[in-house]
Amino acid sequence: MTKKIPTRIYLNEEEMPKNWYNLRADMQEKPDPLLHPGTLQPVTAADLAPVFCKGVIEQELDDTTCLIPIPEGVLDFYHAYRPSPLVRAYYLEKVLDTPAEIYYKFEGTNTSGSHKLNSAGAQAFYAKEDGLTSLTTETGAGQWGTAMAMACGFFDLGLTVYMVKISSEQKPYRKALMEAYGANVIPSPSNTTESGKKLQEKNPGTGGSLGCAITEAIETAVKTDKCRYVLGSVLNHVLLHQSIIGQEAKTALDKYGVKPDIIIGCAGGGSNLGGLIAPFMGEKLAGKSNARIIAVEPASCPSFTRGRYAYDFGDTGMTTPLIRMQTLGSGFIPSANHAGGLRYHGMNSTLSKLYRDGFLEARSEVQTDVFDAAVRFMKVEGILPAPESSHAIKAAIDEALKCKQTGEKKVILFGLSGTGFFDMTAYTAYNDKTMSDQVPTDADLEKGFASIPDIPQNK
Amino acid sequence: MTKKIPTRIYLNEEEMPKNWYNLRADMQEKPDPLLHPGTLQPVTAADLAPVFCKGVIEQELDDTTCLIPIPEGVLDFYHAYRPSPLVRAYYLEKVLDTPAEIYYKFEGTNTSGSHKLNSAGAQAFYAKEDGLTSLTTETGAGQWGTAMAMACGFFDLGLTVYMVKISSEQKPYRKALMEAYGANVIPSPSNTTESGKKLQEKNPGTGGSLGCAITEAIETAVKTDKCRYVLGSVLNHVLLHQSIIGQEAKTALDKYGVKPDIIIGCAGGGSNLGGLIAPFMGEKLAGKSNARIIAVEPASCPSFTRGRYAYDFGDTGMTTPLIRMQTLGSGFIPSANHAGGLRYHGMNSTLSKLYRDGFLEARSEVQTDVFDAAVRFMKVEGILPAPESSHAIKAAIDEALKCKQTGEKKVILFGLSGTGFFDMTAYTAYNDKTMSDQVPTDADLEKGFASIPDIPQNK
């Protein structure tokens, strides 16, 4: 007889993964290297040293080591809030009346409310190891900023957060939360940087953007003694840290002999998706699994489904290395979309490459449909999902309903990356039916594409 | 060698308690019975039937059965979010440099953000069992209302929540959250009830109170077909449901052979405290333990430390049965205090009796001290605590620091009843140093005491 699978599976402390999973090591064709925007040559560790901590630079440039040991100090941090539960969605299965088995890995039980803490802790640890005294970063919806504030509180580091101005006004409580952990939160664009001043001159009264906040944070990090910059998504070292999600999920499923047929994650910059799928994609690349792996993005910011595969900047100020990725252009301005965390113009390079090579599927959803799924989910599973995570819920429900039609008993795993505690404005808009499902026109996209650098590599 | 105690202890589904713990069964001297306010005779099941569900009436009147089996339907609900973690506060111990061992039972990982869900689920289950179609309740800070909204979403019941008007204005997101789960939220006092209208005539522009919201909710329940009223604290059946907290905590500690020397809980109406301590107090009453058991209340609403032990109403409208309890009088108006959930004038009758008989200690704290403790805690333990729960943190830290002075290696267990996600206004006030530590004067208390009924039992 099969062992009954509990509703919530928690690994014991001894069972918890001791390694991160570097997916690039499994890829026969690697993602293209980051390029220095001046020389158009692959970046070196020395190029990145003024901006990033040593530990993460090493990880960013390593595409051959598959299992990278998690340092003791980071494991110690993880023990403060991990393991996260892997939940069997018995209640959702029942209400959908589907033969499918649905599981979700829930990353929202920590105070930051999302998976972002997994990389925040690692990056703060490496900063401490380098003898730094402070860090800078940006935040949009506020999850990453909160995670960094918590990590810096834990490791006793100073932190300056450039928060997209419109978000800081819409989410005063997010700001208060970061401040409660000791962070200095500055609405961006600000007058504390040259790039911030310049942007305000060009666009008076602008509400800011993630790309602009990144530029300000990098400028401040480079100008400040014993300070570096940290980023919450897009780069490969962030996905590496997030692989703790997939590592735990796989360990927990293996314990019960369960193999997922479909793995689903929401995708903004790619950190949650990349972290969730890492070991499963590894099996798929090795031919040991036929699982379908699906990225779900907002129709308002469709870098996978309507973007171009090109070398592009990570920020509006065009100060980052060039990244070959699915992109809408760093000049793309997403239409109003409450799922703030998914409003980024680009996509992690590894995920972009896997998508181009046919290992990763992608689809986009408008947000009313996403919130329909969220409310359906929350009434039976209890958890209030973040708008970002609800994109994955939407796809999981759709796949489960397909199984109902075909009678197939597939195993679906999706990532529930966070809670919606600070997104009640969006839920209110949904309840009041004032939510916009606006999608960019082809002309909107062309404007964004025009900002993609005109370099030989993009011909 | 002792087995290493993990940072977070989760029980397996099979280890989870199958019984609630009815503490009154262990008491040689029982708490005095509820009295009918008209006849001054002990209330009967028939008296309570128009207001409450059958299942909870039976539990309310039972002071002899110690272990009461949790129905399958409630266990099913509990599995959606329990077990809650029992956390060893290694990080807090380290920063305090104390020889004490500190544990906390964390009830804030569910979406309602607090322990309230434990009774909400049980009460919704019994309502469904009685064939009801809707429920009414009140909420102050919003935790109970959210919990009931979730439970009614799960069991597919209608819900009307009377929310203290000032809270509904200060916490629009709480209101939105309840609405997202399908509840109908009405700011109280309202024009939907006679009692609400009367109160507004007497006090134009009033922000409302918990006592008034209770009166309105009861009035509506009694007037509505297939509808009953549910209460989130104070009554003994609520404490019974909350004993799942103590039952899980004790099972988890027993697993590692740990016996607490000091058990601490915050106290408003008593549901969290009573639930946490139930099985531990049982051992103490049986002479099997010398543990100190400590209630912590806000100095602004000190029903234990400065209240009277008398028969009093549970609500301002004087419609509930009379409860013999520690009370400040149903007419007591607490001074402004952000820890909304602890602003109730009375205290559960069982806890009141245990306090009078010397089994339970109590202390009060001003809120600046409470927030000092909260911030100290959150930086190392990560979790953002609710202001209510932070009262327990304050006492736990004080006891741990005493151990540091004496060198004693005591084991401290406290209840972390919830998170502060919806209390950021209070954290901002603390950060801005605009928080009030106002404490009622003796004259303020006298005014409240004057509202205690002048009946023979109170002579």
Side-chain angles (χ1 to χ4, degrees), chain A residues 7-8 10 13 76 80 91 111 150 176-177 181 378 382-384 421-422 424 428, chain B residues 7-8 10 13 76 80 91 111 150 176-177 181 378 382-384 421-422 424 428:
Chain A
T7 313
R8 301 168 88 76
Y10 288 102
E13 227 159 77
D76 193 40
Y91 310 95
T111 285
M150 288 176 66
L177 182 54
Y181 278 97
M378 68 194 272
I383 298 165
L384 174 81
F421 283 118
F422 290 92
M424 291 317 301
T428 302
Chain B
T7 312
R8 301 168 88 78
Y10 288 101
E13 227 158 78
D76 193 41
Y91 309 95
T111 284
M150 290 175 65
L177 182 54
Y181 279 97
M378 68 193 271
I383 299 164
L384 176 80
F421 283 118
F422 290 92
M424 291 317 301
T428 302

mmCIF file of all heavy atoms in Angstrom, chain A residues 7-8 10 13 76 80 91 111 150 176-177 181 378 382-384 421-422 424 428, chain B residues 7-8 10 13 76 80 91 111 150 176-177 181 378 382-384 421-422 424 428:
data_model
loop_
_atom_site.group_PDB
_atom_site.id
_atom_site.type_symbol
_atom_site.label_atom_id
_atom_site.label_comp_id
_atom_site.label_asym_id
_atom_site.label_seq_id
_atom_site.Cartn_x
_atom_site.Cartn_y
_atom_site.Cartn_z
ATOM 1 N N THR A 7 -0.895 16.383 4.171
ATOM 2 C CA THR A 7 -1.261 17.632 3.516
ATOM 3 C C THR A 7 -0.047 18.558 3.404
ATOM 4 O O THR A 7 0.151 19.205 2.384
ATOM 5 C CB THR A 7 -2.382 18.333 4.305
ATOM 6 O OG1 THR A 7 -3.378 17.370 4.622
ATOM 7 C CG2 THR A 7 -2.994 19.464 3.501
ATOM 8 N N ARG A 8 0.730 18.604 4.468
ATOM 9 C CA ARG A 8 1.894 19.481 4.460
ATOM 10 C C ARG A 8 3.130 18.657 4.778
ATOM 11 O O ARG A 8 3.212 18.054 5.843
ATOM 12 C CB ARG A 8 1.761 20.587 5.512
ATOM 13 C CG ARG A 8 0.528 21.454 5.294
ATOM 14 C CD ARG A 8 0.248 22.334 6.475
ATOM 15 N NE ARG A 8 0.951 23.601 6.387
ATOM 16 C CZ ARG A 8 0.578 24.599 5.601
ATOM 17 N NH1 ARG A 8 -0.482 24.485 4.832
ATOM 18 N NH2 ARG A 8 1.257 25.725 5.583
ATOM 19 N N TYR A 10 6.956 18.627 5.691
ATOM 20 C CA TYR A 10 8.114 19.392 6.157
ATOM 21 C C TYR A 10 9.299 18.446 6.247
ATOM 22 O O TYR A 10 9.190 17.373 6.844
ATOM 23 C CB TYR A 10 7.863 19.955 7.556
ATOM 24 C CG TYR A 10 6.876 21.092 7.609
ATOM 25 C CD1 TYR A 10 5.570 20.887 8.021
ATOM 26 C CD2 TYR A 10 7.267 22.377 7.262
ATOM 27 C CE1 TYR A 10 4.665 21.939 8.070
ATOM 28 C CE2 TYR A 10 6.371 23.433 7.316
ATOM 29 C CZ TYR A 10 5.071 23.208 7.717
ATOM 30 O OH TYR A 10 4.175 24.244 7.773
ATOM 31 N N GLU A 13 15.369 18.741 9.830
ATOM 32 C CA GLU A 13 16.565 19.564 9.643
ATOM 33 C C GLU A 13 17.685 18.747 8.977
ATOM 34 O O GLU A 13 18.408 19.252 8.133
ATOM 35 C CB GLU A 13 17.028 20.134 10.990
ATOM 36 C CG GLU A 13 17.333 21.610 10.907
ATOM 37 C CD GLU A 13 17.297 22.340 12.251
ATOM 38 O OE1 GLU A 13 18.267 22.193 13.004
ATOM 39 O OE2 GLU A 13 16.314 23.038 12.539
ATOM 40 N N ASP A 76 22.560 28.326 8.567
ATOM 41 C CA ASP A 76 22.115 28.842 9.860
ATOM 42 C C ASP A 76 20.955 29.833 9.653
ATOM 43 O O ASP A 76 19.945 29.791 10.356
ATOM 44 C CB ASP A 76 23.310 29.538 10.523
ATOM 45 C CG ASP A 76 23.061 29.829 11.986
ATOM 46 O OD1 ASP A 76 22.472 28.978 12.668
ATOM 47 O OD2 ASP A 76 23.458 30.923 12.446
ATOM 48 N N ALA A 80 16.381 29.557 10.292
ATOM 49 C CA ALA A 80 15.490 30.494 10.982
ATOM 50 C C ALA A 80 14.089 30.514 10.367
ATOM 51 O O ALA A 80 13.150 30.981 10.997
ATOM 52 C CB ALA A 80 16.080 31.899 10.981
ATOM 53 N N TYR A 91 -7.568 19.970 -0.969
ATOM 54 C CA TYR A 91 -8.827 20.724 -0.983
ATOM 55 C C TYR A 91 -9.103 21.274 -2.380
ATOM 56 O O TYR A 91 -10.220 21.254 -2.856
ATOM 57 C CB TYR A 91 -8.778 21.839 0.056
ATOM 58 C CG TYR A 91 -8.342 21.355 1.423
ATOM 59 C CD1 TYR A 91 -7.016 21.443 1.827
ATOM 60 C CD2 TYR A 91 -9.268 20.788 2.301
ATOM 61 C CE1 TYR A 91 -6.620 20.978 3.081
ATOM 62 C CE2 TYR A 91 -8.878 20.314 3.549
ATOM 63 C CZ TYR A 91 -7.551 20.415 3.938
ATOM 64 O OH TYR A 91 -7.154 19.953 5.152
ATOM 65 N N THR A 111 8.467 36.204 7.238
ATOM 66 C CA THR A 111 7.936 37.566 7.355
ATOM 67 C C THR A 111 8.072 38.378 6.069
ATOM 68 O O THR A 111 7.225 39.214 5.774
ATOM 69 C CB THR A 111 8.586 38.298 8.543
ATOM 70 O OG1 THR A 111 8.017 37.786 9.748
ATOM 71 C CG2 THR A 111 8.324 39.798 8.506
ATOM 72 N N MET A 150 15.487 42.222 6.233
ATOM 73 C CA MET A 150 15.543 41.165 7.240
ATOM 74 C C MET A 150 16.947 40.548 7.297
ATOM 75 O O MET A 150 17.493 40.316 8.374
ATOM 76 C CB MET A 150 14.517 40.073 6.921
ATOM 77 C CG MET A 150 13.080 40.509 7.165
ATOM 78 S SD MET A 150 11.887 39.230 6.667
ATOM 79 C CE MET A 150 12.276 37.935 7.875
ATOM 80 N N ALA A 176 7.315 50.763 5.833
ATOM 81 C CA ALA A 176 7.401 50.736 7.299
ATOM 82 C C ALA A 176 8.040 49.428 7.777
ATOM 83 O O ALA A 176 8.825 49.419 8.733
ATOM 84 C CB ALA A 176 6.010 50.892 7.906
ATOM 85 N N LEU A 177 7.720 48.346 7.094
ATOM 86 C CA LEU A 177 8.265 47.049 7.484
ATOM 87 C C LEU A 177 9.786 47.027 7.294
ATOM 88 O O LEU A 177 10.537 46.594 8.169
ATOM 89 C CB LEU A 177 7.585 45.944 6.663
ATOM 90 C CG LEU A 177 7.969 44.497 6.943
ATOM 91 C CD1 LEU A 177 7.814 44.152 8.421
ATOM 92 C CD2 LEU A 177 7.105 43.537 6.110
ATOM 93 N N TYR A 181 12.972 46.884 10.278
ATOM 94 C CA TYR A 181 14.167 46.030 10.330
ATOM 95 C C TYR A 181 15.453 46.842 10.225
ATOM 96 O O TYR A 181 16.538 46.280 10.178
ATOM 97 C CB TYR A 181 14.114 44.961 9.235
ATOM 98 C CG TYR A 181 13.271 43.777 9.616
ATOM 99 C CD1 TYR A 181 11.948 43.668 9.204
ATOM 100 C CD2 TYR A 181 13.785 42.772 10.434
ATOM 101 C CE1 TYR A 181 11.161 42.591 9.575
ATOM 102 C CE2 TYR A 181 13.009 41.692 10.812
ATOM 103 C CZ TYR A 181 11.702 41.609 10.380
ATOM 104 O OH TYR A 181 10.927 40.535 10.762
ATOM 105 N N MET A 378 -7.761 30.441 -2.681
ATOM 106 C CA MET A 378 -7.663 30.852 -1.284
ATOM 107 C C MET A 378 -8.844 30.389 -0.442
ATOM 108 O O MET A 378 -8.692 30.141 0.748
ATOM 109 C CB MET A 378 -7.474 32.362 -1.175
ATOM 110 C CG MET A 378 -8.652 33.191 -1.600
ATOM 111 S SD MET A 378 -8.196 34.949 -1.809
ATOM 112 C CE MET A 378 -8.447 35.554 -0.150
ATOM 113 N N GLY A 382 -6.955 28.182 1.890
ATOM 114 C CA GLY A 382 -6.724 29.078 3.023
ATOM 115 C C GLY A 382 -5.762 30.211 2.723
ATOM 116 O O GLY A 382 -6.038 31.354 3.026
ATOM 117 N N ILE A 383 -4.648 29.894 2.080
ATOM 118 C CA ILE A 383 -3.580 30.879 1.890
ATOM 119 C C ILE A 383 -3.975 31.997 0.926
ATOM 120 O O ILE A 383 -4.495 31.737 -0.147
ATOM 121 C CB ILE A 383 -2.326 30.171 1.344
ATOM 122 C CG1 ILE A 383 -1.837 29.134 2.354
ATOM 123 C CG2 ILE A 383 -1.232 31.177 1.006
ATOM 124 C CD1 ILE A 383 -0.849 28.136 1.773
ATOM 125 N N LEU A 384 -3.692 33.243 1.319
ATOM 126 C CA LEU A 384 -3.879 34.409 0.449
ATOM 127 C C LEU A 384 -2.648 34.508 -0.450
ATOM 128 O O LEU A 384 -1.562 34.840 0.020
ATOM 129 C CB LEU A 384 -3.988 35.668 1.307
ATOM 130 C CG LEU A 384 -4.051 36.995 0.559
ATOM 131 C CD1 LEU A 384 -5.471 37.259 0.061
ATOM 132 C CD2 LEU A 384 -3.594 38.145 1.458
ATOM 133 N N PHE A 421 -0.294 39.671 1.440
ATOM 134 C CA PHE A 421 -0.655 40.557 2.551
ATOM 135 C C PHE A 421 -0.510 42.038 2.205
ATOM 136 O O PHE A 421 -1.239 42.870 2.706
ATOM 137 C CB PHE A 421 0.183 40.258 3.794
ATOM 138 C CG PHE A 421 -0.263 39.027 4.521
ATOM 139 C CD1 PHE A 421 0.573 37.938 4.666
ATOM 140 C CD2 PHE A 421 -1.536 38.953 5.055
ATOM 141 C CE1 PHE A 421 0.162 36.802 5.335
ATOM 142 C CE2 PHE A 421 -1.964 37.821 5.736
ATOM 143 C CZ PHE A 421 -1.109 36.740 5.881
ATOM 144 N N PHE A 422 0.476 42.344 1.363
ATOM 145 C CA PHE A 422 0.702 43.746 1.041
ATOM 146 C C PHE A 422 0.130 44.100 -0.337
ATOM 147 O O PHE A 422 0.519 45.092 -0.934
ATOM 148 C CB PHE A 422 2.192 44.073 1.143
ATOM 149 C CG PHE A 422 2.682 44.051 2.557
ATOM 150 C CD1 PHE A 422 3.213 42.902 3.104
ATOM 151 C CD2 PHE A 422 2.553 45.175 3.357
ATOM 152 C CE1 PHE A 422 3.632 42.867 4.427
ATOM 153 C CE2 PHE A 422 2.964 45.150 4.679
ATOM 154 C CZ PHE A 422 3.509 43.989 5.215
ATOM 155 N N MET A 424 -3.354 44.067 -0.880
ATOM 156 C CA MET A 424 -4.796 44.134 -0.696
ATOM 157 C C MET A 424 -5.440 45.172 -1.610
ATOM 158 O O MET A 424 -6.607 45.045 -1.958
ATOM 159 C CB MET A 424 -5.155 44.390 0.770
ATOM 160 C CG MET A 424 -4.853 43.227 1.715
ATOM 161 S SD MET A 424 -5.300 41.568 1.106
ATOM 162 C CE MET A 424 -7.055 41.746 0.822
ATOM 163 N N THR A 428 -8.731 44.472 -3.648
ATOM 164 C CA THR A 428 -9.882 45.376 -3.592
ATOM 165 C C THR A 428 -10.299 45.765 -5.012
ATOM 166 O O THR A 428 -11.489 45.760 -5.345
ATOM 167 C CB THR A 428 -9.548 46.622 -2.766
ATOM 168 O OG1 THR A 428 -9.158 46.188 -1.454
ATOM 169 C CG2 THR A 428 -10.740 47.549 -2.636
ATOM 170 N N THR B 7 15.715 23.786 15.121
ATOM 171 C CA THR B 7 15.226 25.146 15.314
ATOM 172 C C THR B 7 13.701 25.179 15.254
ATOM 173 O O THR B 7 13.053 25.876 16.023
ATOM 174 C CB THR B 7 15.810 26.066 14.220
ATOM 175 O OG1 THR B 7 17.214 25.823 14.140
ATOM 176 C CG2 THR B 7 15.584 27.528 14.552
ATOM 177 N N ARG B 8 13.162 24.431 14.312
ATOM 178 C CA ARG B 8 11.706 24.419 14.167
ATOM 179 C C ARG B 8 11.221 22.990 14.255
ATOM 180 O O ARG B 8 11.617 22.152 13.446
ATOM 181 C CB ARG B 8 11.294 25.017 12.822
ATOM 182 C CG ARG B 8 11.754 26.446 12.633
ATOM 183 C CD ARG B 8 11.598 26.906 11.211
ATOM 184 N NE ARG B 8 10.279 27.464 10.949
ATOM 185 C CZ ARG B 8 9.920 28.678 11.321
ATOM 186 N NH1 ARG B 8 10.749 29.447 11.982
ATOM 187 N NH2 ARG B 8 8.717 29.136 11.054
ATOM 188 N N TYR B 10 8.218 20.473 13.793
ATOM 189 C CA TYR B 10 6.884 20.239 13.234
ATOM 190 C C TYR B 10 6.478 18.813 13.578
ATOM 191 O O TYR B 10 7.246 17.883 13.333
ATOM 192 C CB TYR B 10 6.902 20.376 11.710
ATOM 193 C CG TYR B 10 7.050 21.784 11.209
ATOM 194 C CD1 TYR B 10 8.274 22.266 10.761
ATOM 195 C CD2 TYR B 10 5.955 22.647 11.186
ATOM 196 C CE1 TYR B 10 8.408 23.572 10.289
ATOM 197 C CE2 TYR B 10 6.078 23.949 10.721
ATOM 198 C CZ TYR B 10 7.302 24.401 10.271
ATOM 199 O OH TYR B 10 7.421 25.681 9.804
ATOM 200 N N GLU B 13 1.750 14.410 10.723
ATOM 201 C CA GLU B 13 0.289 14.407 10.766
ATOM 202 C C GLU B 13 -0.219 13.364 11.778
ATOM 203 O O GLU B 13 -1.184 13.603 12.490
ATOM 204 C CB GLU B 13 -0.285 14.138 9.368
ATOM 205 C CG GLU B 13 -1.395 15.107 9.011
ATOM 206 C CD GLU B 13 -1.642 15.251 7.507
ATOM 207 O OE1 GLU B 13 -2.278 14.358 6.936
ATOM 208 O OE2 GLU B 13 -1.230 16.269 6.916
ATOM 209 N N ASP B 76 -9.706 17.908 9.613
ATOM 210 C CA ASP B 76 -9.506 18.146 8.191
ATOM 211 C C ASP B 76 -9.170 19.633 7.956
ATOM 212 O O ASP B 76 -8.251 19.964 7.200
ATOM 213 C CB ASP B 76 -10.811 17.769 7.468
ATOM 214 C CG ASP B 76 -10.639 17.681 5.969
ATOM 215 O OD1 ASP B 76 -9.606 17.147 5.532
ATOM 216 O OD2 ASP B 76 -11.539 18.134 5.236
ATOM 217 N N ALA B 80 -5.240 21.859 6.970
ATOM 218 C CA ALA B 80 -4.985 22.863 5.928
ATOM 219 C C ALA B 80 -3.927 23.873 6.357
ATOM 220 O O ALA B 80 -3.369 24.572 5.517
ATOM 221 C CB ALA B 80 -6.273 23.581 5.548
ATOM 222 N N TYR B 91 18.515 31.960 18.145
ATOM 223 C CA TYR B 91 19.097 33.257 17.796
ATOM 224 C C TYR B 91 18.854 34.270 18.903
ATOM 225 O O TYR B 91 19.732 35.057 19.242
ATOM 226 C CB TYR B 91 18.522 33.744 16.464
ATOM 227 C CG TYR B 91 18.601 32.708 15.367
ATOM 228 C CD1 TYR B 91 17.531 31.886 15.089
ATOM 229 C CD2 TYR B 91 19.780 32.533 14.640
ATOM 230 C CE1 TYR B 91 17.603 30.916 14.099
ATOM 231 C CE2 TYR B 91 19.865 31.568 13.643
ATOM 232 C CZ TYR B 91 18.768 30.763 13.384
ATOM 233 O OH TYR B 91 18.843 29.791 12.407
ATOM 234 N N THR B 111 -2.972 32.392 6.932
ATOM 235 C CA THR B 111 -3.312 33.692 6.352
ATOM 236 C C THR B 111 -4.036 34.623 7.322
ATOM 237 O O THR B 111 -3.874 35.835 7.248
ATOM 238 C CB THR B 111 -4.138 33.491 5.060
ATOM 239 O OG1 THR B 111 -3.250 33.077 4.027
ATOM 240 C CG2 THR B 111 -4.818 34.782 4.600
ATOM 241 N N MET B 150 -12.225 33.198 6.700
ATOM 242 C CA MET B 150 -11.564 32.043 6.089
ATOM 243 C C MET B 150 -12.329 30.760 6.369
ATOM 244 O O MET B 150 -12.534 29.928 5.477
ATOM 245 C CB MET B 150 -10.130 31.906 6.613
ATOM 246 C CG MET B 150 -9.193 32.991 6.115
ATOM 247 S SD MET B 150 -7.540 32.885 6.874
ATOM 248 C CE MET B 150 -6.976 31.310 6.210
ATOM 249 N N ALA B 176 -10.571 44.472 3.537
ATOM 250 C CA ALA B 176 -10.469 43.937 2.180
ATOM 251 C C ALA B 176 -10.182 42.438 2.204
ATOM 252 O O ALA B 176 -10.705 41.677 1.378
ATOM 253 C CB ALA B 176 -9.371 44.668 1.406
ATOM 254 N N LEU B 177 -9.374 42.013 3.150
ATOM 255 C CA LEU B 177 -9.016 40.593 3.253
ATOM 256 C C LEU B 177 -10.254 39.761 3.599
ATOM 257 O O LEU B 177 -10.517 38.723 2.975
ATOM 258 C CB LEU B 177 -7.917 40.418 4.307
ATOM 259 C CG LEU B 177 -7.371 39.018 4.542
ATOM 260 C CD1 LEU B 177 -6.884 38.382 3.252
ATOM 261 C CD2 LEU B 177 -6.218 39.056 5.556
ATOM 262 N N TYR B 181 -12.450 36.876 1.155
ATOM 263 C CA TYR B 181 -12.928 35.531 1.498
ATOM 264 C C TYR B 181 -14.448 35.428 1.467
ATOM 265 O O TYR B 181 -15.006 34.390 1.797
ATOM 266 C CB TYR B 181 -12.390 35.104 2.863
ATOM 267 C CG TYR B 181 -10.968 34.578 2.792
ATOM 268 C CD1 TYR B 181 -9.880 35.387 3.078
ATOM 269 C CD2 TYR B 181 -10.719 33.261 2.402
ATOM 270 C CE1 TYR B 181 -8.585 34.915 2.987
ATOM 271 C CE2 TYR B 181 -9.432 32.777 2.314
ATOM 272 C CZ TYR B 181 -8.366 33.601 2.609
ATOM 273 O OH TYR B 181 -7.089 33.121 2.512
ATOM 274 N N MET B 378 12.482 40.511 16.432
ATOM 275 C CA MET B 378 12.307 40.327 14.987
ATOM 276 C C MET B 378 13.616 40.393 14.224
ATOM 277 O O MET B 378 13.759 39.744 13.192
ATOM 278 C CB MET B 378 11.286 41.329 14.436
ATOM 279 C CG MET B 378 11.719 42.757 14.447
ATOM 280 S SD MET B 378 10.310 43.888 14.142
ATOM 281 C CE MET B 378 10.362 43.964 12.352
ATOM 282 N N GLY B 382 13.603 36.920 12.927
ATOM 283 C CA GLY B 382 13.004 37.097 11.600
ATOM 284 C C GLY B 382 11.541 37.494 11.629
ATOM 285 O O GLY B 382 11.135 38.417 10.940
ATOM 286 N N ILE B 383 10.761 36.819 12.423
ATOM 287 C CA ILE B 383 9.300 37.005 12.410
ATOM 288 C C ILE B 383 8.880 38.381 12.931
ATOM 289 O O ILE B 383 9.351 38.826 13.967
ATOM 290 C CB ILE B 383 8.642 35.912 13.276
ATOM 291 C CG1 ILE B 383 8.950 34.535 12.715
ATOM 292 C CG2 ILE B 383 7.138 36.154 13.400
ATOM 293 C CD1 ILE B 383 8.683 33.403 13.685
ATOM 294 N N LEU B 384 7.982 39.028 12.203
ATOM 295 C CA LEU B 384 7.365 40.284 12.640
ATOM 296 C C LEU B 384 6.218 39.937 13.582
ATOM 297 O O LEU B 384 5.188 39.425 13.141
ATOM 298 C CB LEU B 384 6.812 41.028 11.429
ATOM 299 C CG LEU B 384 6.039 42.313 11.703
ATOM 300 C CD1 LEU B 384 6.999 43.465 11.941
ATOM 301 C CD2 LEU B 384 5.102 42.638 10.542
ATOM 302 N N PHE B 421 1.535 41.874 10.403
ATOM 303 C CA PHE B 421 1.440 42.406 9.033
ATOM 304 C C PHE B 421 0.414 43.537 8.907
ATOM 305 O O PHE B 421 0.566 44.421 8.093
ATOM 306 C CB PHE B 421 1.061 41.303 8.047
ATOM 307 C CG PHE B 421 2.192 40.399 7.704
ATOM 308 C CD1 PHE B 421 2.149 39.056 8.004
ATOM 309 C CD2 PHE B 421 3.325 40.908 7.090
ATOM 310 C CE1 PHE B 421 3.216 38.217 7.683
ATOM 311 C CE2 PHE B 421 4.390 40.074 6.761
ATOM 312 C CZ PHE B 421 4.327 38.730 7.063
ATOM 313 N N PHE B 422 -0.642 43.477 9.712
ATOM 314 C CA PHE B 422 -1.672 44.500 9.595
ATOM 315 C C PHE B 422 -1.553 45.536 10.714
ATOM 316 O O PHE B 422 -2.491 46.256 10.990
ATOM 317 C CB PHE B 422 -3.052 43.848 9.545
ATOM 318 C CG PHE B 422 -3.286 43.100 8.267
ATOM 319 C CD1 PHE B 422 -3.002 41.763 8.154
ATOM 320 C CD2 PHE B 422 -3.740 43.786 7.139
ATOM 321 C CE1 PHE B 422 -3.185 41.081 6.960
ATOM 322 C CE2 PHE B 422 -3.922 43.110 5.938
ATOM 323 C CZ PHE B 422 -3.643 41.762 5.846
ATOM 324 N N MET B 424 1.233 47.692 10.882
ATOM 325 C CA MET B 424 2.391 48.511 10.544
ATOM 326 C C MET B 424 2.214 49.953 11.020
ATOM 327 O O MET B 424 3.200 50.638 11.280
ATOM 328 C CB MET B 424 2.695 48.451 9.052
ATOM 329 C CG MET B 424 3.207 47.097 8.558
ATOM 330 S SD MET B 424 4.448 46.306 9.616
ATOM 331 C CE MET B 424 5.745 47.543 9.622
ATOM 332 N N THR B 428 5.072 51.962 12.813
ATOM 333 C CA THR B 428 5.499 53.285 12.366
ATOM 334 C C THR B 428 5.459 54.269 13.542
ATOM 335 O O THR B 428 6.397 55.045 13.743
ATOM 336 C CB THR B 428 4.591 53.769 11.219
ATOM 337 O OG1 THR B 428 4.668 52.816 10.164
ATOM 338 C CG2 THR B 428 5.035 55.116 10.687
#
